[in-house]
Amino acid sequence: MSSTSAPFGLRPAYHPSGIIRPTAMTIQTGYTSNIFQFQPVLLDTDGFVEAAGDSDPIIGTFMGVEFTDADGRRRVSNKWTASTAATDIVAYVTLDPAIVYEIQANGSVSVTNISNQADFVNADSGNVTTGLSLAQLDRSGFVTSGNKVLRVIAIAPEVGNAAGDSFTIVQVQISEHQYVANKAAF
């Protein structure tokens, strides 16, 4: 049973084609916020990857980064540390709107919530030790019409997870994706 709040962010679960392909993008050198693995991200007006807020339309989720540091060493990490000065920055991001993700809700989700939409809580938070996002689905903000960032499509088929658990893990798709028109709840 998902009775413990143990957020892990917006983790890619599957793609209808069977393959999840992160895309190489970039982060502005010196970007002043941390970005954690499985954290929702967006593209700024200059095309750089940035951390998303709780209700921002997103491009996908951050998978990791590689860059050349100030000492000339190549680094690979599952997180971007705020204010890092680097060159040759390659950020890996999921951006296909058909990807299905898993995320833990900050409360109970029932089968009747399937097709509802919600935003995030703690979208820009993470664990600096593990490098993982602490984003969760905002259970209190479900809507049945209109738009929010994520649409619930199923209860995640995980061992120890069931509809109605205290912190249900659900499968979602992005309904406010930066590359496609918004998909309203029904």
Side-chain angles (χ1 to χ4, degrees), residues 29-30 65-77 80-81 83-90:
T29 185
V65 65
E66 59 182 274
F67 56 90
T68 303
D69 69 13
D71 296 328
R73 286 181 257 159
R74 195 73 181 153
R75 303 287 182 170
V76 177
S77 180
W80 172 262
T81 302
S83 303
T84 298
T87 58
D88 305 317
I89 303 165
V90 180

Side-chain angles (χ1 to χ4, degrees), residues 2 10 24 40 46 75 94 101 114 121 125 144-146 149-150 154 169:
S2 295
L10 189 62
D46 295 322
R75 303 287 182 170
T94 60
Y101 299 88
I114 292 174
V121 291
S125 300
T144 56
S145 63
V149 179
L150 302 174
I169 298 171

Side-chain angles (χ1 to χ4, degrees), residues 116-154:
N116 290 173
Q117 294 188 14
D119 289 330
F120 297 99
V121 291
N122 303 319
D124 57 357
S125 300
N127 182 314
V128 294
T129 303
T130 66
L132 295 177
S133 171
L134 296 176
Q136 288 182 287
L137 182 82
D138 184 6
R139 168 59 186 95
S140 65
F142 273 140
V143 297
T144 56
S145 63
N147 291 94
K148 296 282 183 153
V149 179
L150 302 174
R151 172 182 286 116
V152 176
I153 62 168

Side-chain angles (χ1 to χ4, degrees), residues 9-42:
L10 189 62
R11 178 175 62 202
Y14 69 88
H15 185 280
S17 72
I19 300 172
I20 296 171
R21 292 184 177 98
T23 300
M25 304 187 105
T26 193
I27 299 170
Q28 178 71 41
T29 185
Y31 178 64
T32 58
S33 295
N34 290 325
I35 307 177
F36 300 94
Q37 188 174 37
F38 307 138
Q39 180 172 338
V41 292
L42 56 81

